Every structure is written in structure tokens, then in C-alpha cells.
Amino acid sequence: MTATTLVILGASGDLTQRLLMPALYRLHALGLTRDLRIVGYAKEPWSRARFEQHIHKALQSFAQDFKPAQWNRFRRQIDYVGGELTADDLRALKDSLSPATLFYLALPPPLFGTAAEALGEAGFAKAPRNGWRRLIVEKPFGTDLASAEALRQAMHAHWEEEQILRIDHFLGKETTQNLMVFRFANRFIEPIWNAQHIEQVQITYAETLGVEKRAAYYDHSGALRDMLQNHLMQLFSLTAMAPLGEWDAEVLRNHKVEVLRSVVPITAATVNAHAVRGQYRAGHLGRKKLIGYRSEPGIPRRSNTETFAALRFEVDNWRWRGVPFYLRSGKRLASNYSEIAVQFREVPGALPKAIKAGNNWMIFRIRPTEQMDLMVTAKQPGLELSGRPLVLTAPYATPDHREFSAYEQLLMDAIEGDRTHFLRFDEVEWAWRLLTPVLEAWQSGTPDFYAAGSEGPSTQKRLLDPGHVWRPIADNGDA
Ligand code: BG6
């Protein structure tokens, strides 16, 4: 790797301490980023030594395997510059940049546009000869279609789309990446990956966590913006997209956008049939008593923000017409359980009486463990010709396998310039477009309440086709 510089704007903040620095430290420890210089930038007028102290403390708390000797090597890569997000102040970074430089906006979202513009005005968006400049930014990309478009314009004032790497950390998860590999690297999958063979798809991201200390952010966001618009939409488009003719980041993203464009638009008149929102009330998880969302510190007592959202998508194309895609995510549910579950249609024809036709599911599990499960029916050993359900399980983690966090994966990709696992603006735009009628409808009225620690609001059932049931959350995850 040639010398590269990563400038982190917002280097004194939470994202830098909790996620970025631990990821960079680990990559360094593994010898993958020995030539990377890391320059922190924030408004605190700190010296380099003071910044080092700050990072040292953060790594002691958050790094996976903190070792003083390793830290002594890593700290030499770190530098710090203090200043505001103005072109004048940012120019102080000039001598710290390499021909190959990335800027990471680890900033509060309202500052993304300002920072991108100021970096551009400082002349940093223009790549020198034999070099490149990239800008990394992480969701949320706006809070609705109009604000996403305004953000795009601000970013594009100086930066080209190819230079912008939009992070959705779910694209760095093993299961997400495996979706592509498993679907496209196995001959037997593609012929059955369509409406003729698939009955329904359920994508669930259930969390036991509540709003924690994020009241100010979460109460303006809600589950639809926080989880569905981005993370679950990505899992959905990767599940539904067509195989690629060429393995290329642009082709991949074209295919994902094609899926979003094929979703039957939800309208004001159909919102109720396609979307359910919930909010947790007091309840309990095991023996632990949990307070309701409206009693959480910092949450207005009459807040109608949804802590649970479920959607039903219909995709109107040759591959998927007639297959409902159900997506849902919520806080304070019965367990930490996340998966993409694909159910196959029933088999036709006769079977001996003692055999119940297979309830075939292929499940890509994200939590509690990353693994694939294929649910099949096989013969029950014995004299009789009878069947039994079997689960064929393939875990990802094996003793010789090194797991990387989503940030480690994505930072390496960003340094290497591989855009496969980053979002293009039109993906963001189409996701907002699809959800606009739902966001509008949810501006009034109240969410359906559910007890903290439960399966979510009972009204989520109304999204399902006859014969379909939501997969249970309590039985699948860990609490
Ligand atoms: C974040 C959301 O993007 O994703 C959080 O803001 C959520 O509310 C989190 O808890 C879930 O991701 P992970 O990878 O931490 O399970």
C-alpha cells in the first residue's frame, strides 16, 4: 500500500472513539494499514499529545485486544489539527495530506454538507496528479427526500459521485456480503430464486435495546428512518436483485436500484395495508422491568415516534410478482434476533401420510450468530417411511477464520477504492421515494403500542398474506 492519509473530521467525537479508532487500531495490528497516516481534526484546540491521550483512553475501553506495545507503534501514525469547519481553518491540514487522502466525516449529520463544501473550498476535493481524494460519510443521508437531495447538492458542489463513499455499516456485515456470494456462486440457487418457488421473504432486525442515550436523535428519527430506509432496504435489494452480468460496483448498484424502482409504490390510500408502526410501553424482559418509551429520559411524554416499523413490499417484475417481502425492525423486542428468511412454496404431489410436506426456509442469520440455516424435511430413521424436519446449519465462524467488524471491512474497502459496499446516491434517493407516503401518513396519529420485551404490536399481522405468520422473535434470538 502506498502512503495514504485518513483525515477524520469530528475526531473528538463518539464515532471516532467507539468505532473508527478501534477498527483502525485492529487493522494496524494485523499489518494491513502500516502506511496509513491518521490525522484527527476537531474544534478542540488540542496538541498532538492531548489527542493521543484521548485516543489511548478510548482504545483501552473499546479496542478488542489492547496491547501497550501495539499502541506504541500505532500512536506514531496519529496526528491532530484543531479548527472549525471552515475552508480557512481546514487549510491548516494542507501539509498533512498525502497524494492519496480520504476524509471521513465523523460529524453530526447536519454538518455533512458544510464540511463537504468547506473541504472543497479549501481545494481538497481535487486530486493531485498520481493521487486521489475520497470523502466518506455515514447515514443518515437526509431525513426525507428533499433533505437528501439538498445534501447531495451540497456534497456535489465540489465532489464527484465517484469520490463519495456512503457507508451503511450493514454492507460490511458478513451475512450481507454472503447474500451475494451465496446467491451467485451456487448453481442451484438462481433457478429457484423467483416467484415460482418462493412464497415469501421476511427480513427482521429485532433489538432488545431501547432508546438508550440517544433520545435527541431517535425521537426525531424513529424506526423507519433509523433502520428501514437504509439497513433493511439494503438487505431487501440484495435479496431481490438480479444476478450481475459483470462483477462491477456500478453494475451492482444499478441492479439494486432496479429492485427499488420495481417496488409497487405505496400511496396515501394504501399506507395501512403496507406499513405498521409501534411504540413500546412498559414491560419486562425476563425478570428485568422496562419502562415505556415515553418515560425514557429526554423523550417527550406525548411522543408519537415509532420504535417499531414493519413494511410490506410488492415487487412488480418478472422475478417477483406475487411474493410479498416483509421488513420489520424494532427496539425493546423480545430478543436480539436478525435474519433474512426466505420461505419456499409447498411441494405439489402426493407423499406418504406420515410425511408432512417440507416447510422449507433458507435463513441468513445475522444475530445472535452469523450463520445459514436450511430447513428441510428428511426421512425419520427407522422402518417406517416417515419424515422429520431437519435444519442444515453452516456457521461462518470457524477456528481458522478471522472475523472483521463492519468498520474494519469498510475502511479497508475505502482505502482500496472498492465501492462495491458503499451506496450510490440514487439508492438513497429511491429508498426515500418509496417511504415518503409512509412518512407523510405517520406525521399524525399514534403508533400501536406494544409491551417492552414482546414480539411487537399485534397489528403487524395485517401486512401478511393469508397463511403467512411472522417468525417468532423470542424463540430465535438471545435476550
Ligand atoms: C444503527 C441504528 O444504524 O444500527 C441503531 O442507528 C441500531 O439504532 C444499529 O441499533 C444496529 O446495528 P448493529 O450493527 O449495531 O446491530
Side-chain angles (χ1 to χ4, degrees):
M1 194 171 79
T2 54
T4 303
T5 298
L6 169 68
V7 180
I8 303 179
L9 280 76
S12 56
D14 192 52
L15 177 66
T16 307
Q17 307 192 49
R18 275 193 315 115
L19 296 164
L20 296 183
M21 282 298 180
L24 289 164
Y25 171 80
R26 175 131 192 270
L27 291 172
H28 181 264
L30 294 171
L32 296 170
T33 50
R34 290 276 152 86
D35 291 327
L36 183 72
R37 299 186 53 226
I38 302 165
V39 184
Y41 186 90
K43 59 178 182 300
E44 282 76 5
W46 286 347
S47 63
R48 180 178 187 275
R50 173 71 188 80
F51 181 60
E52 251 188 38
Q53 251 177 29
H54 175 74
I55 298 305
H56 185 222
K57 212 167 137 213
L59 291 178
Q60 283 173 316
S61 315
F62 300 114
Q64 230 184 46
D65 186 16
F66 184 81
K67 293 200 181 94
Q70 184 56 45
W71 160 248
N72 270 331
R73 282 189 290 274
F74 180 64
R75 71 196 289 181
R76 287 185 220 133
Q77 290 186 292
I78 300 178
D79 206 347
Y80 182 79
V81 175
E84 298 290 330
L85 289 178
T86 59
D88 276 352
D89 279 13
L90 283 163
R91 282 195 191 98
L93 283 166
K94 197 159 155 273
D95 295 333
S96 313
L97 310 186
S98 328
T101 296
L102 306 107
F103 297 91
Y104 198 121
L105 305 187
L107 295 164
L111 297 179
F112 289 167
T114 314
E117 282 181 308
L119 284 168
E121 278 164 33
F124 295 161
K126 279 208 196 70
R129 257 194 313 138
N130 306 326
W132 46 258
R133 293 280 190 262
R134 293 179 193 136
L135 183 68
I136 310 178
V137 59
E138 185 168 353
K139 74 123 208 176
F141 309 114
T143 53
D144 56 18
L145 187 56
S147 55
E149 174 54 26
L151 176 60
R152 186 191 70 82
Q153 281 181 18
M155 299 196 101
H156 282 223
H158 296 278
W159 298 84
E160 301 295 329
E161 179 65 30
E162 298 74 52
Q163 292 179 286
I164 303 173
L165 300 169
R166 290 184 192 81
I167 288 193
D168 179 316
H169 80 279
F170 271 44
L171 293 185
K173 287 185 190 275
E174 284 287 357
T175 298
T176 317
Q177 300 194 354
N178 178 53
L179 250 182
M180 282 187 271
V181 176
F182 191 74
R183 277 195 56 197
F184 301 137
N186 294 297
R187 180 80 215 192
F188 63 93
I189 293 293
E190 180 52 21
I192 56 167
W193 209 251
N194 54 48
Q196 195 189 342
H197 298 283
I198 291 179
E199 170 74 29
Q200 60 164 325
V201 178
Q202 292 191 13
I203 302 176
T204 298
Y205 209 84
E207 298 182 280
T208 55
L209 281 183
V211 65
E212 310 304 305
K213 292 185 180 135
R214 301 164 77 212
Y217 155 75
Y218 195 86
D219 200 58
H220 285 106
S221 168
L224 193 68
R225 288 188 172 91
D226 187 48
M227 295 297 291
L228 280 286
Q229 191 273 344
N230 33 67
H231 305 323
L232 270 68
M233 201 71 89
Q234 285 298 318
L235 299 179
F236 161 63
S237 54
L238 287 169
T239 307
M241 74 182 182
L244 311 190
E246 182 189 353
W247 194 262
D248 170 83
E250 293 312 316
V251 177
L252 167 72
R253 296 184 298 177
N254 290 344
H255 280 47
K256 287 200 283 171
V257 171
E258 234 172 68
V259 171
L260 301 181
R261 297 183 72 145
S262 310
V263 174
V264 178
I266 299 173
T267 64
T270 61
V271 166
N272 269 347
H274 286 271
V276 166
R277 60 178 155 160
Q279 189 189 81
Y280 63 84
R281 278 196 160 145
H284 55 89
L285 196 59
R287 285 213 207 117
K288 199 169 151 205
K289 273 197 167 164
L290 300 167
I291 58 173
Y293 178 72
R294 291 177 178 183
S295 309
E296 298 274 14
I299 301 294
R301 296 295 159 253
R302 302 165 77 106
S303 170
N304 281 327
T305 299
E306 80 284 357
T307 58
F308 173 99
L311 293 172
R312 172 202 171 91
F313 281 156
E314 285 156 16
V315 185
D316 194 14
N317 63 18
W318 280 83
R319 181 186 290 269
W320 293 118
R321 183 186 276 189
V323 182
F325 284 79
Y326 308 116
L327 284 65
R328 64 178 171 161
S329 179
K331 302 271 183 208
R332 281 281 188 254
L333 293 173
S335 76
N336 288 313
Y337 146 72
S338 312
E339 62 177 27
I340 300 148
V342 177
Q343 188 187 27
F344 293 91
R345 294 197 189 279
E346 270 184 20
V347 292
L351 283 167
K353 259 208 203 82
I355 301 180
K356 203 170 156 303
N359 187 14
N360 294 145
W361 289 83
M362 182 174 289
I363 301 169
F364 298 86
R365 290 188 194 270
I366 304 174
R367 290 201 305 184
T369 45
E370 299 213 72
Q371 67 183 45
M372 276 185 292
D373 284 344
L374 182 61
M375 296 164 75
V376 299
T377 298
K379 184 182 172 292
Q380 174 77 48
L383 294 177
E384 220 181 299
L385 194 59
S386 63
R388 61 170 170 159
L390 269 187
V391 183
L392 309 176
T393 294
Y396 289 143
T398 53
D400 58 348
H401 163 98
R402 186 183 279 152
E403 269 186 77
F404 287 96
S405 75
Y407 281 92
E408 288 159 8
Q409 294 260 2
L410 294 173
L411 281 166
M412 275 318 286
D413 287 353
I415 293 166
E416 283 165 6
D418 180 352
R419 296 200 301 275
T420 310
H421 304 302
F422 297 92
L423 309 189
R424 205 168 59 190
F425 179 72
D426 49 354
E427 294 184 68
V428 176
E429 177 193 354
W430 274 94
W432 281 123
R433 224 177 256 281
L434 281 176
L435 298 188
T436 299
V438 183
L439 289 169
E440 283 171 359
W442 288 3
Q443 269 169 21
S444 54
T446 39
D448 302 324
F449 294 104
Y450 61 96
S454 72
E455 298 274 321
S458 58
T459 43
Q460 64 187 291
K461 280 202 295 279
R462 73 163 185 257
L463 305 184
L464 303 178
D465 274 358
H468 293 175
V469 283
W470 284 109
R471 288 176 41 76
I473 291 171
D475 300 352
N476 279 313
D478 60 5

